Amino acid sequence: MLLKKIRPALSFIFLISQSIVYAAENDTPNLLQQDIQFLTTHQLWNHDEWLNLLHYQPDGFSGGYLSQVDDSAFFYSENGKHNPQQEMIETLKQIYQPPGNHPDSHAKCRFIARYHWLKNKLPDRLSNTSNIQCPEYENWRKNVPENKVSLIFPAYHLNSPSSMFGHTLLRIDAADEEKGSTLLSMAVNFGATIDIEDNSLLFAVKGLFGGYYGNFIVTPYYKKIKEYNRHENRDIWEYALNLTAAETLRIVEHLWELKDINFDYYFFDENCSYRLLELLEVARPGLDLKSQFGLTAIPVDTVRSIQQAGLINGIEYRPSQTTNINALLKKMTTKQQQQVHQLTTHADYMDHPDFTSEPTESQMMILDTAYRYLRYQQNEQGRSESNARNSYRILNRINQYTNFVSSAATYQAQQQPEMGHLSKRLAIAIGEYRTEAFLDLRFRMSFHDLEDNINGFLEGAQINMGSLSLRMTKDEAQIQQLDFIDIFSLTPRNAFFQPLSWKVYTGLEQQWIHGKQHLTGHVTAGAGVTYDTWRHGYIYGLITARLETNSQFDAAITPAAGFSTGLLHHFSSSTVHLNISGEEFNNDEHRHRIDFKYNFVISRNHSMALRWLRQRQPDTLFSQLELAYQYYFH
């Protein structure tokens, strides 16, 4: 009876609702045209927010714009890569489309950051999208926090070609750190998609000339800790940024839009660090971080750029396993280091009188070092029964100390990567070579010599690419030297770590032959050992090999065997480097030299360098003396 009474009212409500839906559907073209007119009138496509979301840069050739995204799936307009206005209009048209059977493919879900920005610019519009759900995006968001952001800088790693200059990534944290460690945060990494079949040479060529695609990947931060801190033994610097929760959310939403989207990857400029700067500009419109990076975007230079922009809110240092172990070893006497070694092979030594007679603080330090070293061996060599047994017994003894403290390596302010000199260098040198005066003009693309100021850099590491020296005398001007790659790794050995020191050096250089200088090409490489016999002092020795192409030699390529040995010491404001080296070619040509360099630091980006070279060859002995002013910049 009740149903019979209310049926007319239900019918009336249904007819009204259908009329509203019909009216809305038929009014959609009008609303869309009004919105397009609004966009056109206010030229919203020229806003920084839109240009950042689409990764547009001014195109010097066309006078318009060019998106740095190299994937057609990122654009709705066929001309979207070049036309921000057309891409905005096509995006708006797609937003006005009904969701269909697959709402996750709707423009609201696919480009959530674009959608939210357009909705904010078009108040009281886009109401047709309010009920569209995005289940794939919502499921993804459950695992990605949105409150705070840190820039992460894993330090230099010479044995990895992709990481010689360091690396940067972002870490996104949840709001409540008390409920979870930052290890449970998410890392945002941009990297090249590398073919595992590519060797190091092919990797370098493809990386330099855009032979790889790059992609953004969001992964748990603890995996990156494991990769960098434990497996590669790289220190990690964590820079907390002062982005708000709303700014962090913009990054998260845009990362969803970039999922599975390809960019061209270039080792020197459009790399991991450059792409992260783009994300920060999306987060906080008005930031200008990328424009200062033209030819190169060295990771540590991008760290400096966010520092200069006032984004850094705090610094945390996460030393690697080897850094922690070496820091502990340096605090010990020779006897205590021997006790550490005894414990790592025979845990029974814990009960030996020599150990138990040590002060309690010394016992804890020795046990701590032994346990850390066993864990390091496990990471490097895999788990073994004896290693596991000794680790377990040492850990049990550690737990018997009521106030046991496990110390970690600390740092001084000048060791922070952003405190180092800038990556490019200009120099002007005057001197005398074989009694003839000269003037050299020098440019180095990147980025650090053994003799440079070590503040902020890996001690004992030389990493240079693209160095050019032009020499002028009273009679002529010529290329004196052109280095493509110049890498020198002096990693000291001790009873616990036995790394190889090595060098690779290739390019063009002038050599004195038959009474005249000749431009020769070469590849020189070597390997050997280094010992840090005193603080900031190194003694090294390497066996080297050289392949040289020389117009004065009979063969097209002439091999040579050689050696390189030296002493390197860093004072507080200067560096001394003495190198004795030589080569013996298979055609009886030989070169032996003594090379002394002294670099005095004037300030962070200014120095004076003195060099004296003495070289002996068949039928000749000559010297070079020079003084150079060096200016560092980026």
Side-chain angles (χ1 to χ4, degrees):
M1 191 72 170
L2 179 61
L3 181 61
K4 190 174 182 179
K5 290 181 178 180
I6 67 174
R7 183 175 293 156
L10 292 174
S11 299
F12 177 76
I13 292 172
F14 176 76
L15 288 173
I16 291 297
S17 64
Q18 290 297 104
S19 298
I20 293 173
V21 170
Y22 177 81
E25 288 179 347
N26 282 271
D27 198 38
T28 293
N30 293 330
L31 293 175
L32 174 60
Q33 290 305 315
Q34 291 174 23
D35 287 347
I36 292 175
Q37 181 62 44
F38 181 85
L39 301 180
T40 303
T41 302
H42 293 84
Q43 296 188 2
L44 293 186
W45 56 83
N46 277 328
H47 284 217
D48 286 344
E49 295 94 325
W50 181 256
L51 297 175
N52 291 342
L53 282 172
L54 276 295
H55 298 259
Y56 286 115
Q57 295 291 320
D59 185 359
F61 294 101
S62 67
Y65 289 98
L66 176 68
S67 175
Q68 296 195 350
V69 179
D70 301 285
D71 194 326
S72 60
F74 190 69
F75 306 100
Y76 282 122
S77 168
E78 290 185 2
N79 197 33
K81 185 175 176 66
H82 305 274
N83 193 320
Q85 176 183 1
Q86 194 171 331
E87 182 62 25
M88 178 177 282
I89 292 172
E90 290 301 318
T91 299
L92 190 62
K93 288 180 180 179
Q94 293 298 320
I95 291 173
Y96 267 99
Q97 292 296 316
N101 296 326
H102 302 286
D104 282 303
S105 62
H106 188 267
K108 173 186 176 180
C109 302
R110 179 64 191 88
F111 294 107
I112 189 76
R114 292 191 210 180
Y115 164 78
H116 282 149
W117 186 78
L118 285 169
K119 186 168 176 59
N120 181 60
K121 293 298 180 182
L122 299 168
D124 304 321
R125 297 297 183 93
L126 307 184
S127 57
N128 66 305
T129 62
S130 58
N131 293 323
I132 296 177
Q133 302 300 311
C134 306
E136 288 185 9
Y137 170 72
E138 294 300 331
N139 287 334
W140 180 80
R141 284 285 289 106
K142 291 176 183 177
N143 297 317
V144 183
E146 60 179 45
N147 190 260
K148 293 182 291 184
V149 176
S150 293
L151 181 76
I152 310 301
F153 180 77
Y156 319 108
H157 182 48
L158 290 179
N159 291 325
S160 172
S162 63
S163 304
M164 288 186 299
F165 296 97
H167 182 57
T168 54
L169 59 151
L170 296 181
R171 190 188 71 214
I172 304 179
D173 303 324
D176 190 356
E177 287 189 8
E178 293 182 0
K179 292 183 179 179
S181 165
T182 55
L183 297 179
L184 302 179
S185 300
M186 300 301 288
V188 179
N189 186 68
F190 180 84
T193 305
I194 300 171
D195 188 337
I196 60 174
E197 301 295 327
D198 290 351
N199 57 37
S200 296
L201 178 61
L202 192 56
F203 167 81
V205 172
K206 285 187 174 181
L208 287 171
F209 297 102
Y212 294 117
Y213 279 125
N215 304 95
F216 282 97
I217 298 175
V218 180
T219 189
Y221 183 53
Y222 73 84
K223 291 185 178 180
K224 290 298 177 182
I225 295 288
K226 187 176 181 181
E227 175 184 350
Y228 297 129
N229 220 201
R230 298 178 186 173
H231 290 325
E232 296 184 355
N233 289 302
R234 299 165 66 181
D235 297 341
I236 297 176
W237 299 84
E238 303 174 343
Y239 300 87
L241 305 184
N242 58 16
L243 298 183
T244 65
E247 291 170 334
T248 305
L249 179 58
R250 290 195 197 107
I251 290 179
V252 171
E253 290 182 340
H254 190 49
L255 284 171
W256 171 257
E257 297 181 330
L258 297 174
K259 190 165 65 73
D260 301 324
I261 294 297
N262 291 326
F263 294 77
D264 284 342
Y265 181 91
Y266 293 91
F267 186 67
F268 274 120
D269 51 3
E270 296 179 30
N271 54 23
C272 60
S273 298
Y274 184 86
R275 294 296 172 218
L276 295 186
L277 296 182
E278 289 185 318
L279 287 184
L280 296 178
E281 290 181 348
V282 166
R284 183 173 291 178
L287 283 177
D288 182 17
L289 301 174
K290 306 190 306 294
S291 63
Q292 58 187 291
F293 299 102
L295 291 175
T296 62
I298 303 296
V300 69
D301 285 338
T302 63
V303 175
R304 295 188 188 103
S305 73
I306 68 165
Q307 179 193 43
Q308 293 166 2
L311 289 172
I312 296 179
N313 205 28
I315 301 175
E316 294 290 335
Y317 174 57
R318 193 184 295 271
S320 69
Q321 285 183 312
T322 54
T323 297
N324 278 326
I325 295 168
N326 280 320
L328 287 166
L329 290 172
K330 288 178 180 178
K331 296 178 181 179
M332 296 181 184
T333 65
T334 301
K335 177 185 175 182
Q336 289 170 336
Q337 291 181 6
Q338 292 171 348
Q339 290 175 324
V340 171
H341 194 270
Q342 284 275 13
L343 282 172
T344 59
T345 53
H346 301 92
D348 292 339
Y349 183 73
M350 291 185 295
D351 301 318
H352 194 280
D354 282 349
F355 178 77
T356 57
S357 62
E358 290 279 345
T360 301
E361 291 78 11
S362 297
Q363 290 181 29
M364 291 191 293
M365 182 171 63
I366 293 168
L367 288 168
D368 186 18
T369 309
Y371 181 71
R372 288 176 182 269
Y373 185 66
L374 287 169
R375 298 289 294 175
Y376 163 80
Q377 286 182 317
Q378 181 174 313
N379 286 335
E380 292 294 306
Q381 304 168 11
R383 188 178 185 276
S384 68
E385 184 177 342
S386 61
N387 185 297
R389 182 175 59 252
N390 287 332
S391 296
Y392 177 75
R393 293 187 61 187
I394 292 174
L395 186 59
N396 273 343
R397 178 62 66 89
I398 286 173
N399 289 331
Q400 293 176 17
Y401 293 85
T402 54
N403 297 314
F404 185 86
V405 177
S406 179
S407 62
T410 58
Y411 71 94
Q412 297 178 335
Q414 66 266 27
Q415 293 176 267
Q416 295 170 203
E418 74 277 11
M419 301 301 291
H421 64 76
L422 299 180
S423 298
K424 296 183 180 66
R425 189 178 74 189
L426 282 173
I428 181 169
I430 56 173
E432 184 178 83
Y433 175 75
R434 299 184 61 89
T435 72
E436 184 176 34
F438 68 83
L439 171 70
D440 277 7
L441 298 177
R442 298 168 184 167
F443 169 74
R444 184 183 70 190
M445 181 71 71
S446 62
F447 95 121
H448 182 71
D449 281 339
L450 289 174
E451 301 82 27
D452 283 337
N453 186 0
I454 62 170
N455 288 349
F457 285 88
L458 185 64
E459 197 167 328
Q462 175 168 295
I463 312 172
N464 289 321
M465 292 190 181
S467 299
L468 174 65
S469 176
L470 301 176
R471 174 162 296 182
M472 287 166 283
T473 64
K474 65 178 181 179
D475 297 322
E476 61 180 353
Q478 64 184 19
I479 294 176
Q480 186 66 18
Q481 193 164 335
L482 174 60
D483 297 338
F484 303 127
I485 297 173
D486 182 7
I487 304 172
F488 203 163
S489 173
L490 297 179
T491 309
R493 298 163 70 93
N494 55 38
F496 297 86
F497 303 102
Q498 292 83 40
L500 274 178
S501 293
W502 58 276
K503 69 182 299 182
V504 174
Y505 169 41
T506 181
L508 305 174
E509 62 186 19
Q510 296 285 353
Q511 291 291 343
W512 187 269
I513 305 170
H514 299 157
K516 188 178 179 181
Q517 284 197 325
H518 299 272
L519 192 63
T520 64
H522 74 97
V523 175
T524 303
V529 297
T530 301
Y531 294 95
D532 53 348
T533 50
W534 62 89
R535 181 174 173 80
H536 299 310
Y538 298 85
I539 295 177
Y540 63 88
L542 287 77
I543 301 299
T544 63
R546 180 181 177 96
L547 296 176
E548 183 170 310
T549 174
N550 190 322
S551 62
Q552 302 303 298
F553 292 167
D554 293 334
I557 298 177
T558 306
F563 69 96
S564 178
T565 184
L567 179 151
L568 177 71
H569 181 73
H570 296 286
F571 298 94
S572 59
S573 60
S574 62
T575 300
V576 170
H577 185 193
L578 175 65
N579 176 263
I580 301 172
S581 61
E583 300 91 34
E584 297 282 345
F585 290 86
N586 69 345
N587 61 359
D588 297 328
E589 177 78 19
H590 66 262
R591 302 180 191 130
H592 300 146
R593 69 190 67 85
I594 300 174
D595 195 356
F596 174 81
K597 297 177 182 177
Y598 176 76
N599 187 52
F600 177 75
V601 178
I602 301 172
S603 63
R604 176 182 172 186
N605 292 310
H606 303 268
S607 72
M608 295 295 296
L610 176 69
R611 182 187 185 193
W612 176 73
L613 172 69
R614 184 74 164 169
Q615 183 161 314
R616 179 188 294 277
Q617 296 175 201
D619 305 322
T620 186
L621 175 66
F622 59 86
S623 300
Q624 175 175 312
L625 180 65
E626 67 175 56
L627 179 66
Y629 163 71
Q630 300 179 144
Y631 169 65
Y632 304 81
F633 67 103
H634 77 76

